[in-house]
Amino acid sequence: MSILGTRVVRTEDPRFLTTGGVYTDDVRLPGACHLQFVRSTVAHARIRSVDVSDALQAPGVIAAFTGADLAGLPELAPPVAGLVNARMSQPLLARDVVRYVGEPVAVVVTGGRYQGEDAAELVDVDYDMLPPVVEAAVAAGAGEGTAEAGEGTAEADGLLFPMLGSNIAASFGDAAALRADLFDGCEVVVSRTIVNQRVAPAPMETRAAAAAWGADGRLTAWIPNQGAQGTRKSLADMLGIDQAHIRVITPDVGGAFGAKFGADPEHAVVCWVARRLSRPARWVETRTENLIGMPHGRAQRQTVTIGGSRDGTVTAYRLEILQDAGAYPRYGAFLPALTILMAPGPYAIPRAEAVAQSVVTSTTPVGAYRGAGRPEATAAIERAMDLFAAEIGADPAEVRRKNLLPKFTEPHRTAFGALYDSGDYAAALEVALTTAGYEDLRDEQAKRRASGDVVQLGIGLSCYVEITGPGAEEGGPRENATVEVHPDGSATILTGTSPHGQGHATVWAMLASDELGIPVDKITVKWGDTDLIPEGGGTGGSRSLQQGGAAVQQASRELIDVARQRAADALEANPADLAFDAGSSAFAVTGDPDVSVPLARLAERERLFVRAVFTAPGATFPFGTHVAVVEVDTETGKVVLRRVITVDDAGTVINPLLAEGQRHGGIAQGAAQAFLEEVVFDEDGNPLTASFADYPFLSATEVPSFELADSQTPTSYNPLGAKGIGEAGTIGSTPAVQNAVIDALAHLGVRHIDMPASPQRVWQALRSAAAEASGHRAPPDPGRVP
Ligand code: MCN
């Protein structure tokens, strides 16, 4: 009987729960020196000088380096060449100009671990202040007509890279070509600018690195990452050396959430220092450094316009995006491309268009963060659907029901070029509503409204479709796996994916076990060592099971083919007369089961392994519906999340325990964006959320037990029938919770509250609505302080 689809418990956990993991900071590296970065304390300034002479006298200091020392090294180039302005690259240590608070300016190297913090204080950086550009909208407008701006004047105009004449890092679509007649014929048109705020990935393990150069001139770098092979490439690019000279090892990773792909300038500096000083070097950042230095997520301002008829049919939708890319374009600058791709979501909207601009600002760079571009698309369309429903006085569930794409089993091409593989969006909505007891919830809400209860009930919906496993590889996205059977009856799997909480060691073993009949606990899964596994796409975009898992299955099947020939030789039989029985993990002659040979025995004389590459025809499109139920105190503005009910259809589920764990984590993370988390800068570009005292994140006490309904619509894009589940939670839950908060207050005239729906924002929205109802203007919003 197959173990696929069963709740096999994580084989990873006994180690984590007993001896604990081995994180980068735990890697033993005798004689290593320690790095402490000196970071910019101002958002935008020209560097007049950096004086490290006092720091060099401090106890334990071995060396100190500035941007000038690294002048010969390449810079960190923006990703996605051709789409993002390649000239907005980041020097490994700032040279002439700093562009955000936290930017590495110098590095102090010490023998003892904690000596660097004091020594770094002694580094004297003389800044010539330049005006910071904190707001993306201001950044977008700066530099118009100053293409040939002279030195100094352009900076005064608010340009981060004056020689480029503009802060625009990337543009998607042509804003000038937006159709003037898009909303013609609509009975109702609603438009609103909404904020998908900047959030911090805040992994439990901050960024770190350890590096040592061998006598052979090769570098070994231990870095927590989402794909050793991608990290090796980033390091090679920044250090200006060939990838063959680098070995990247991935120790245990304490959370990544999209933010540990590739490598950051700090990682490259650690490697450079180790070479320069001819001794191992290591670095681990503090929580504050992490909150201001690790690329943030989201950071979009969206203008949604939605139009249709009073019967609830949506006929036109427009999405205009302003992406804050932060000081140096990272993946954040490119993410609007994914937002646009998924703009219409699961709906059949006859006319839809979307455009975006990414701009640089004097703030921490923005990167990929769980969902990366897709949660922003869902948030926009789901808020728009509710705005439209409110305008026509319709039930939000009814409006969605009316506009969802009908069930399809053949791929469906959207107007934005996405090829949805399979979907039944209406079924997901109905299952979610039934599981939630939607009608009863509406009754309860009506009662509370009628009685004027101080605590009102809100019900929020979010229907989504997302893209998982996208890839630009020619021929289709792919991943490799090697499966080897050993003579002692155990097996080893090498994978190009890089789990950091997703449980691949368990599931990859399940997939091989299912084919080979070797027990899960006798299968070891290895990843994250570029010498052992030179190629691999890593873990991100919820690609791992559908490509990496499929490769494991494929390699296992091909291994049986290889073994069959050896079994035929051993048994002196015709290969075609042999049957492999996974139950006993042995080949036997058909009709004569006593003539058999165990699989493991076939590995005795010669190694028995197969490396396979699985290539997918394309990305897959998981979908679902989330329902959130909140209580909102209308006197204090406090939001309490009461229930979250979700349908997350990721095709065939291989291990429900792990898939549910992924949903739980994602839902919590997404909900936190809706009512809690926000990275805030003041008008000078100073980060105000630089510690966990100021940057709140969700704990188990703020969330209810999640109610997960099952739904599995297999995809034909891989033999497993699986789509990705790793990001679904963050995509569905955020708009559901936000919509629920607003829904609780809809009868009081509230139409929108930007995230996070903090007590202050909720209270302010109630006050504005009350003032509007009584014909008075509300006093101005006291500000976007969380
Ligand atoms: N799975 C399954 N059946 C399916 C789909 C998935 O059983 N139909 C299982 C898989 O076998 C795997 C897990 O669910 O064990 C997730 O698989 P998949 O959806 O392929 O996603 P990835 O493994 O590629 O994970 C990436 C995704 C992303 S992009 C982010 S960001 C993220 C996330 O996973 N960051 C995480 N989950 C995280 N979980 C933890 N603990 N920490 C992070 O940093």
Side-chain angles (χ1 to χ4, degrees):
M1 223 193 55
S2 174
I3 54 167
L4 303 189
T6 65
R7 306 173 77 84
V8 175
V9 293
R10 283 167 42 100
T11 56
E12 292 90 338
D13 287 344
R15 185 170 65 88
F16 282 117
L17 296 173
T18 53
T19 53
V22 177
Y23 298 91
T24 296
D25 201 34
D26 301 320
V27 171
R28 285 172 54 87
L29 213 50
C33 57
H34 298 262
L35 272 72
Q36 172 72 46
F37 286 92
V38 177
R39 296 178 181 277
S40 176
T41 51
V42 296
H44 195 194
R46 200 186 298 280
I47 298 175
R48 278 213 200 97
S49 62
V50 184
D51 182 357
V52 298
S53 51
D54 285 352
L56 284 171
Q57 305 305 316
V61 173
I62 299 165
F65 301 104
T66 68
D69 295 307
L70 275 66
L73 289 186
E75 303 193 332
L76 174 62
V80 207
L83 273 174
V84 179
N85 192 331
R87 295 170 69 195
M88 294 175 163
S89 54
Q90 176 173 5
L92 306 189
L93 292 175
R95 279 202 282 271
D96 310 318
V97 178
V98 287
R99 295 183 175 88
Y100 67 97
V101 172
E103 179 170 353
V105 176
V107 64
V108 173
V109 188
T110 56
R113 173 158 189 168
Y114 298 104
Q115 293 162 320
E117 266 186 71
D118 292 335
E121 302 258 302
L122 301 175
V123 174
D124 188 15
V125 188
D126 192 6
Y127 293 113
D128 191 1
M129 300 297 284
L130 293 167
V133 193
V134 184
E135 289 294 328
V138 176
E144 276 165 13
T146 57
E148 299 300 320
E151 275 287 295
T153 54
E155 281 164 343
D157 287 343
L159 290 178
L160 266 76
F161 298 87
M163 63 291 189
L164 301 180
S166 139
N167 288 319
I168 296 166
S171 296
F172 307 87
D174 182 2
L178 288 174
R179 287 171 56 179
D181 62 352
L182 194 74
F183 297 95
D184 283 4
C186 292
E187 290 170 7
V188 179
V189 178
V190 198
S191 189
R192 179 129 215 163
T193 296
I194 62 182
V195 177
N196 203 297
Q197 83 274 24
R198 184 190 274 253
V199 291
M204 208 182 291
E205 180 203 25
T206 58
R207 293 179 300 169
W213 293 78
D216 58 357
R218 280 188 92 218
L219 163 70
T220 302
W222 294 261
I223 292 175
N225 65 71
Q226 294 176 235
Q229 300 78 9
T231 297
R232 180 185 52 182
K233 163 120 186 34
S234 299
L235 286 180
D237 288 349
M238 285 187 276
L239 294 169
I241 60 176
D242 195 279
Q243 290 195 56
H245 296 131
I246 303 176
R247 175 183 187 186
V248 170
I249 296 177
T250 311
D252 284 322
V253 177
F257 309 114
K260 288 181 179 167
F261 244 121
D264 294 335
E266 289 94 332
H267 297 123
V269 174
V270 176
C271 300
W272 182 87
V273 166
R275 185 172 56 183
R276 172 74 175 246
L277 299 180
S278 301
R279 69 189 272 186
R282 62 192 317 150
W283 163 69
V284 59
E285 67 181 354
T286 62
R287 180 57 60 186
T288 290
E289 286 182 288
N290 181 264
L291 283 166
I292 64 173
M294 178 179 243
H296 294 145
R298 311 282 189 263
Q300 282 189 7
R301 204 185 65 158
Q302 309 170 323
T303 301
V304 293
T305 311
I306 185 166
S309 48
R310 292 210 166 268
D311 70 356
T313 310
V314 174
T315 49
Y317 175 62
R318 175 181 291 156
L319 173 61
E320 294 158 275
I321 303 165
L322 181 60
Q323 173 75 54
D324 180 352
Y328 300 96
R330 303 282 293 263
Y331 268 103
F334 169 72
L335 292 178
L338 281 172
T339 311
I340 290 175
L341 184 73
M342 299 311 299
Y347 301 106
I349 306 176
R351 299 193 303 270
E353 55 187 21
V355 291
Q357 234 175 26
S358 292
V359 295
V360 286
T361 60
S362 332
T363 61
T364 306
V366 173
Y369 172 65
R370 202 167 187 173
R374 294 102 85 201
E376 295 87 327
T378 303
I381 186 78
E382 288 306 293
R383 203 70 274 290
M385 281 288 162
D386 266 23
L387 287 168
F388 182 73
E391 191 67 27
I392 61 172
D395 184 315
E398 200 43 49
V399 170
R400 285 173 172 77
R401 209 173 256 141
K402 230 185 169 71
N403 293 288
L404 284 172
L405 279 163
K407 176 179 176 166
F408 57 95
T409 46
E410 292 299 311
H412 167 85
R413 175 84 62 189
T414 73
F416 293 86
L419 192 64
Y420 295 177
D421 56 326
S422 62
D424 190 354
Y425 309 142
L429 172 65
E430 295 312 325
V431 172
L433 294 177
T434 310
T435 312
Y438 187 69
E439 298 306 327
D440 293 347
L441 286 168
R442 286 284 172 213
D443 287 348
E444 153 108 28
Q445 179 182 56
K447 278 193 202 118
R448 290 208 204 182
R449 286 181 176 178
S451 69
D453 203 325
V454 168
V455 179
Q456 287 292 322
L457 194 74
I459 307 141
L461 297 180
S462 155
C463 297
Y464 72 88
V465 55
E466 58 136 338
I467 177 170
T468 61
E473 300 97 323
E474 210 172 300
R478 68 195 55 154
E479 190 50 90
N480 75 91
T482 303
V483 175
E484 175 162 12
V485 171
H486 306 293
D488 67 356
S490 66
T492 303
I493 298 172
L494 308 181
T495 176
T497 67
S498 194
H500 43 281
Q502 293 88 349
H504 299 177
T506 307
V507 179
W508 284 201
M510 286 169 71
L511 289 163
S513 173
D514 199 51
E515 300 297 327
L516 308 176
I518 295 172
V520 164
D521 61 8
K522 286 194 159 176
I523 301 176
T524 306
V525 181
K526 295 186 176 174
W527 64 90
D529 179 342
T530 54
D531 275 8
L532 195 60
I533 307 158
E535 285 171 43
T539 286
S542 301
R543 66 183 291 276
S544 300
L545 178 62
Q546 58 190 295
Q547 289 156 24
V552 170
Q553 189 189 56
Q554 185 178 320
S556 305
R557 289 182 175 171
E558 290 177 12
L559 184 139
I560 293 295
D561 292 340
V562 172
R564 179 183 303 279
Q565 187 57 54
R566 287 194 200 176
D569 295 345
L571 298 174
E572 294 181 353
N574 189 331
D577 294 339
L578 294 180
F580 181 70
D581 172 32
S584 57
S585 190
F587 284 94
V589 174
T590 318
D592 193 357
D594 289 343
V595 184
S596 69
V597 60
L599 182 63
R601 265 251 305 283
L602 303 172
E604 275 170 5
R605 282 221 213 120
E606 197 187 343
R607 284 179 64 188
L608 179 56
F609 71 97
V610 166
R611 178 180 185 272
V613 176
F614 173 76
T615 304
T620 59
F621 292 79
F623 59 91
T625 293
H626 286 205
V627 181
V629 182
V630 301
E631 284 184 331
V632 183
D633 187 316
T634 55
E635 287 180 349
T636 64
K638 186 172 169 58
V639 173
V640 177
L641 188 55
R642 282 287 171 227
R643 292 176 65 197
V644 180
I645 303 97
T646 82
V647 174
D648 298 294
D649 192 322
T652 307
V653 172
I654 304 302
N655 185 330
L657 194 66
L658 285 163
E660 285 165 20
Q662 286 295 308
R663 290 164 75 183
H664 282 180
I667 293 166
Q669 214 164 355
Q673 182 183 4
F675 72 98
L676 211 59
E677 293 190 28
E678 180 173 33
V679 169
V680 185
F681 294 93
D682 73 10
E683 59 193 16
D684 294 322
N686 296 308
L688 300 181
T689 41
S691 81
F692 278 160
D694 302 308
Y695 187 82
F697 66 100
L698 205 68
S699 72
T701 54
E702 282 98 23
V703 288
S705 195
F706 303 131
E707 300 163 56
L708 309 182
D710 189 36
S711 173
Q712 301 187 29
T713 308
T715 179
S716 61
Y717 280 23
N718 59 72
L720 306 174
K723 310 186 188 188
I725 194 73
E727 295 154 291
T730 51
I731 291 166
S733 67
T734 309
V737 175
Q738 184 187 20
N739 282 343
V741 175
I742 298 162
D743 180 68
L745 310 171
H747 64 301
L748 302 172
V750 173
R751 282 289 168 87
H752 178 75
I753 302 173
D754 269 330
M755 300 186 292
S758 61
Q760 186 195 15
R761 288 243 180 91
V762 170
W763 185 80
Q764 186 66 38
L766 278 165
R767 226 160 59 120
S768 302
E772 209 167 294
S774 65
H776 298 296
R777 267 169 57 110
D781 189 319
R784 295 178 49 80
V785 180

